[in-house]
Amino acid sequence: MSRRRPPYAPWRPTLVGALLCALAGCAWINDDRGFIRNTSDDYLDARERRPLVIPDDMETSPIRSTYDIPAIAPKPLARHFPKRAPRPDAIFADTSDDAVKIQRLAGRSWLVVGDPPATAWPVVKQFFGDNGVAVAAESPTDGRVDGGWLTVGDEEYRDVVRDVIQDVRNDAGVSSGRDRVRFLIEHGIRPGSSEIHIRHENDALATPGEPWPAVSALPDVEEQLLHEFGGYYGADVTTQSISMIALDIASREKAVVERDDEGYPLLRLNVDFERAWAVVGQALQRAPLSVNDLERSTGSFQVEIDPRELGGDRPGFLSRLIPGRGRGGTRSFDVRIVSAGDSQVVQVFEPGGDPAPQDLSQQLLVMLREFAA
């Protein structure tokens, strides 16, 4: 009588054990402690090394910078992308980036130029010099350049500054006091741009404001000089140069893309809500997307955009099977502005209220910053 084989084969535990050992061995070979170290996430722990030290007895003339490396915005985002490097921000072109424009909002006016403050600074000083106005004080860290006090009478003037002041004083019936013009240069909303503000002061009309007056003594002087200086700047009457002392202008950047504690992107606008609403609305009008609805009381815009406009990957096979996400399809998002202290925070949400995907949200916020004025 033959014996039946037991319901299990003796080789099965051996095979299972071998497989477990093999899997453990693969992990041991390809992890940070194994025989072959996995270096795919080393960038998360990258640190800046100490500056190069050149020995005293070594000739330093051959060692020089042949190309100025532009400043790189900090990107403390690596911890939010543990399995892959974060996608670089898309670059958006706008034909009006280099234009000189006067912006107005709620009784305020300022000039926007497509150059950084370090480039705008010497133009302001040259404007004073060409009009025979002495520079009485300058503070690069604050971005301020103050012209000297002027005594304007009834004589005819050939320079723009005195001529404008005289005309406005005559129209306003002001016959006393000394006048001066002050410039304030700040970082613009768009990276690499500047905002230039002008104030006029008259010591007979009001006590000179320090460090910066809220309004001009004669607003028409400010308005006319904004036009005159805008034409002066746009005419490129000066040789473009960079002020080394103005590289440290300490005014806050007005638009910064950051991450919240959960890793979702946000655009922080260091302006009041009135201006943030105008900035975001204008950027949405200029950007390649559609605004379907807006609600100022909640600070929200409902927008529709093709994700490919954000510099992302083209949709794959599976995404083309999802309605509204296929070839040439668009997606809807809710762009919201929320006050956070003295700044405003802009974030992107799905129509249902959930945060939008991190990569897509990041690129949309970068687009808004680039198309802002």
Side-chain angles (χ1 to χ4, degrees), residues 66-337:
T66 57
Y67 178 76
D68 291 332
I69 301 176
I72 300 176
K75 289 183 174 293
L77 313 177
R79 65 186 178 90
H80 306 303
F81 296 87
K83 296 183 179 179
R84 59 182 174 83
R87 178 178 296 170
D89 292 340
I91 298 176
F92 302 96
D94 184 18
T95 56
S96 61
D97 281 353
D98 297 328
V100 178
K101 297 170 287 188
I102 293 179
Q103 298 287 321
R104 294 183 177 85
L105 178 67
R108 295 172 285 174
S109 300
W110 62 92
L111 200 69
V112 178
V113 300
D115 295 317
T119 301
W121 179 274
V123 181
V124 171
K125 296 186 67 175
Q126 187 63 44
F127 178 76
F128 274 139
D130 289 350
N131 286 280
V133 178
V135 175
E138 54 183 301
S139 175
T141 55
D142 298 326
R144 286 193 296 106
V145 182
D146 296 344
W149 287 101
L150 305 173
T151 301
V152 179
D154 295 331
E155 59 269 27
E156 293 185 0
Y157 297 102
R158 295 185 178 181
D159 67 279
V160 170
V161 175
R162 292 177 179 83
D163 187 54
V164 167
I165 293 175
Q166 182 190 48
D167 287 346
V168 175
R169 281 174 54 131
N170 291 339
D171 292 342
V174 176
S175 58
S176 61
R178 298 177 303 163
D179 301 86
R180 73 170 176 179
V181 176
R182 307 174 69 183
F183 280 77
L184 176 65
I185 306 171
E186 297 181 325
H187 293 283
I189 295 288
R190 195 176 60 250
S193 65
S194 302
E195 294 180 3
I196 301 174
H197 305 257
I198 296 179
R199 290 290 185 271
H200 163 259
E201 291 183 323
N202 179 287
D203 58 4
L205 297 177
T207 303
E210 293 294 343
W212 183 252
V215 296
S216 291
L218 294 173
D220 285 347
V221 173
E222 173 187 332
E223 184 70 18
Q224 291 189 33
L225 285 181
L226 275 175
H227 283 275
E228 294 291 346
F229 181 75
Y232 180 88
Y233 199 106
D236 290 330
V237 296
T238 62
T239 302
Q240 189 177 69
S241 59
I242 295 177
S243 171
M244 300 304 294
I245 63 172
L247 289 173
D248 297 326
I249 285 181
S251 65
R252 289 191 303 176
E253 293 189 23
K254 286 189 169 61
V256 183
V257 178
E258 304 173 345
R259 294 264 169 169
D260 63 16
D261 294 338
E262 297 181 359
Y264 290 101
L266 59 90
L267 174 61
R268 185 176 300 277
L269 297 175
N270 293 311
V271 296
D272 55 64
F273 179 84
E274 188 79 21
R275 186 170 177 193
W277 177 260
V279 165
V280 174
Q282 184 184 58
L284 291 173
Q285 291 179 355
R286 300 170 65 189
L289 50 77
S290 300
V291 179
N292 296 331
D293 196 10
L294 56 90
E295 180 58 51
R296 193 181 186 283
S297 61
T298 58
S300 63
F301 298 83
Q302 294 179 13
V303 303
E304 190 172 342
I305 187 171
D306 186 336
R308 290 174 292 182
E309 296 287 354
L310 300 174
D313 300 329
R314 290 186 174 275
F317 173 74
L318 292 178
S319 65
R320 289 198 296 267
L321 299 179
I322 303 176
R325 300 191 185 185
R327 186 179 300 277
T330 59
R331 294 183 60 179
S332 297
F333 297 99
D334 186 12
V335 178
R336 301 179 193 170
I337 307 173

Side-chain angles (χ1 to χ4, degrees), residues 49-60 63:
R49 294 185 178 274
R50 291 180 298 176
L52 179 66
V53 177
I54 303 174
D56 295 336
D57 58 348
M58 183 177 178
E59 177 63 40
T60 59
I63 302 176

